[in-house]
Amino acid sequence: MNTGAPANRDAQGMPATGGGAARRASAGLDLSQWKYLSGEAREPQMHAILTVRADGTENGGGAAGPVLAQVLAVDCSSSMAYPQEKLRAAHQAAVAALRLLPDGTPFAVVRGAHSASVVYPETETMVRADPRHRAEAERAVHRLIAGGGTCIGSWLDLSRRLLAEADAPIGHVLLLTDGRNEHDRLMPLADVLEACAGRFVCDAWGIGDGWDGRELLRVTSRLHGRASSVQEEAALAREYEHLMRRLLAKSIPELVISVTPMAGAEVRYLKQVFPTEVELDPLDPGGEATRRFVTRAWGDETRRYQLCLSADPAGRPRGEDLQLAVVSLDVPGGEVEPAPPLPCLVHWTDDEALSGYSDIHVEHFEQHQRLGEAVAAATDAHRDGERDLAQQHLGTAVRLAHAVGADQSLGRLERLVEIDDPAAGRVRLRPGVAAVDFEHLITASSHSTYGPASGAADAMTPASLLAGGPGAATVRCAACDGRVPAAARFCPLCGHGLSGRP
């Protein structure tokens, strides 16, 4: 655990192996925080970044039988017919995904319009993949025609019912749409997401020029998936293949992150911030003090989470480390070796210079959140015909993307603006920018980078921290009020010189 600044150390939590024996899958846990809080703060909060790693899942994580159950939900609304390349790309992508399903995998293909129906098999059930069923499903996909409206809630509700009958620990829906959820009143998406949450993972893709990026993010954030899009229809099949290969490498259905606060502390929230933003709700929000958060469908991968705790300094000693909470991992079924629990600390101090720092990893992901907010604001401004305001918000997005190293978002932004100075956010809106360009940008902005550059995150000794020296922490810029690396000479957000700071 890092209590002053992240040490970037390896935390695989892997048991020793030898003699070529099969290795048990393992889960690692690390925690990065700035433990110093002001004892005079009105409503102090402690923020920390949890890094969770799964390793050794290529051995199956102890699972027996098929791990995955797959539903392909294909948008067949009327708009998919124009241009014809959209529906053709949807056919090809669905077939590409079907061909990758291992024998024994339960699967079904759903036709989505203002209502949903199963097109393969011919009843509301799932079949297990084998050469015959895959070939029949391919033929059924190629017979799909466009017609009707769009009610995404009905597609997800049918998928939920299908997956409820599947004998596989990981349920997954791959959803494609080219339009907005115009028939939501037929089956409100909010209600469906509530019913589907925790039951399966959903990845959602946008194609064409009529879909809503924030709507896709609403679905995937609630259902632990990713929102993505393609600008060229021909790229969809290749993207489906990449996604399916990543999906088939997953063998751990879920990991549970437990946070137990000490007396005087309370869990405010835990959310996934890398590789994408995902909402996490506690299993029993009104029960005991311990909050348990379920994370879904793991392979060999790393994810990062932001933890927020409220704390009360009243009656607590100053000038010493106190345990604020304990964070632990649990793997239902016991097939995976979990990492040992870690403490989250607080050190109440009256030293304003010390409490003025913040953890650099926490700030990195908060900058990502501000990047998404700038993109959303630019989208709204452009939709309202306010091009100058849209350009201003896009400049802010460029500045933030440059500061956090979000290369994918920068690449998307360059399609909308000419960038004169990325560090200062000086941009010019390109002529002919279309509304769908903003939707592509919204989905890209939900994909975060891992963290700050390693050089900015070198750990410090307690002595140097108490001396007030800079390290893997942040301070506020007097010019823009943004958080910047404490060791920086210039603010990467506004360019203001920081040489005069203490």
Side-chain angles (χ1 to χ4, degrees), residues 11-31:
Q12 296 293 333
M14 291 163 44
T17 59
R23 185 176 65 185
R24 186 183 182 189
S26 61
L29 175 66
D30 201 1
L31 185 150

Side-chain angles (χ1 to χ4, degrees), residues 103-120:
D103 284 353
T105 302
F107 78 96
V109 180
V110 168
R111 180 186 187 275
H114 54 276
S115 61
S117 60
V118 181
V119 296
Y120 191 83

Side-chain angles (χ1 to χ4, degrees), residues 154-168:
S154 68
W155 312 355
L156 292 173
D157 184 69
L158 176 55
S159 299
R160 176 188 61 80
R161 288 184 275 123
L162 289 167
L163 291 168
E165 304 299 324
D167 184 21

Side-chain angles (χ1 to χ4, degrees), residues 24 38 137 164 172 175 196 198 295 327 388 397 428 433 473 492 499:
R24 186 183 182 189
S38 170
H172 183 261
L175 184 150
C196 294
T295 66
V327 182
D388 290 344
R428 285 170 288 127
V433 170
S499 57

Side-chain angles (χ1 to χ4, degrees), residues 73 110 113-116 150-163 173 175 181 183-202 215 218-224 279 281:
V110 168
H114 54 276
S115 61
T150 301
C151 180
I152 294 176
S154 68
W155 312 355
L156 292 173
D157 184 69
L158 176 55
S159 299
R160 176 188 61 80
R161 288 184 275 123
L162 289 167
L163 291 168
V173 175
L175 184 150
N181 193 31
H183 289 94
D184 185 66
R185 67 187 184 281
L186 299 177
M187 189 169 289
L189 183 58
D191 296 340
V192 174
L193 290 177
E194 188 67 26
C196 294
R199 299 183 180 274
F200 58 84
V201 174
C202 178
E215 201 160 65
R218 180 185 176 194
V219 171
T220 57
S221 177
R222 193 78 172 97
L223 301 182
H224 293 216
E279 297 177 17
D281 293 325

Side-chain angles (χ1 to χ4, degrees), residues 64-396:
V67 175
L68 175 71
Q70 179 65 56
V71 174
L72 296 172
V74 183
D75 188 343
C76 293
S77 59
S78 299
S79 57
M80 285 291 287
Y82 308 100
Q84 295 180 351
E85 287 77 13
K86 280 193 295 186
L87 191 57
R88 186 180 305 121
H91 290 169
Q92 293 169 345
V95 167
L98 288 169
R99 290 177 177 175
L100 288 173
L101 294 178
D103 284 353
T105 302
F107 78 96
V109 180
V110 168
R111 180 186 187 275
H114 54 276
S115 61
S117 60
V118 181
V119 296
Y120 191 83
E122 295 181 351
T123 58
E124 287 196 7
T125 184
M126 303 184 82
V127 295
R128 294 188 179 273
D130 61 26
R132 179 175 69 86
H133 287 141
R134 280 191 294 266
E136 290 176 352
E138 286 186 27
R139 289 192 291 270
V141 166
H142 283 299
R143 290 194 297 267
L144 288 173
I145 59 174
T150 301
C151 180
I152 294 176
S154 68
W155 312 355
L156 292 173
D157 184 69
L158 176 55
S159 299
R160 176 188 61 80
R161 288 184 275 123
L162 289 167
L163 291 168
E165 304 299 324
D167 184 21
I170 298 177
H172 183 261
V173 175
L174 181 47
L175 184 150
L176 174 71
T177 184
D178 81 324
R180 299 177 186 272
N181 193 31
E182 59 184 3
H183 289 94
D184 185 66
R185 67 187 184 281
L186 299 177
M187 189 169 289
L189 183 58
D191 296 340
V192 174
L193 290 177
E194 188 67 26
C196 294
R199 299 183 180 274
F200 58 84
V201 174
C202 178
D203 291 306
W205 284 77
I207 189 174
D209 60 4
W211 49 280
D212 186 333
R214 275 177 284 194
E215 201 160 65
L216 296 190
L217 289 176
R218 180 185 176 194
V219 171
T220 57
S221 177
R222 193 78 172 97
L223 301 182
H224 293 216
R226 298 189 183 194
S228 301
S229 60
V230 289
Q231 292 189 316
E232 302 293 335
E233 285 83 358
L236 187 63
R238 182 174 65 253
E239 295 293 342
Y240 265 38
E241 289 176 352
H242 292 164
L243 187 152
M244 288 301 301
R245 288 192 173 96
R246 291 196 304 269
L247 185 64
L248 291 169
K250 298 180 185 294
S251 61
I252 302 176
E254 61 186 43
L255 293 176
V256 178
I257 302 174
S258 295
V259 184
T260 303
M262 302 296 103
E266 183 179 347
V267 180
R268 297 292 298 273
Y269 62 79
L270 181 73
K271 61 182 179 181
Q272 181 178 300
V273 292
F274 172 85
T276 56
E277 299 171 2
V278 172
E279 297 177 17
L280 295 175
D281 293 325
L283 290 178
D284 184 12
E288 299 179 357
T290 297
R291 293 290 180 260
R292 301 174 69 245
F293 301 86
V294 178
T295 66
R296 306 288 177 182
W298 286 77
D300 280 8
E301 60 185 295
T302 298
R303 302 180 194 172
R304 307 191 87 174
Y305 302 85
Q306 183 171 351
L307 171 65
C308 178
L309 300 164
S310 62
D312 183 2
R316 309 297 289 173
R318 308 288 175 93
E320 63 182 78
D321 290 353
L322 303 173
Q323 187 164 282
L324 191 61
V326 174
V327 182
S328 61
L329 289 179
D330 179 44
V331 186
E335 294 90 356
V336 179
E337 181 74 22
L342 291 177
C344 181
L345 304 180
V346 65
H347 188 112
W348 299 109
T349 179
D350 296 325
D351 187 336
E352 294 182 2
L354 202 55
S355 63
Y357 288 110
S358 177
D359 180 77
I360 197 170
H361 288 266
V362 170
E363 183 57 30
H364 175 84
F365 292 109
E366 290 187 347
Q367 294 280 40
H368 259 292
Q369 180 178 338
R370 287 190 280 273
L371 167 60
E373 291 169 353
V375 168
T379 302
D380 291 337
H382 184 267
R383 185 178 297 152
D384 294 340
E386 300 181 76
R387 289 178 58 86
D388 290 344
L389 183 58
Q391 177 176 286
Q392 178 183 330
H393 287 306
L394 290 174
T396 300

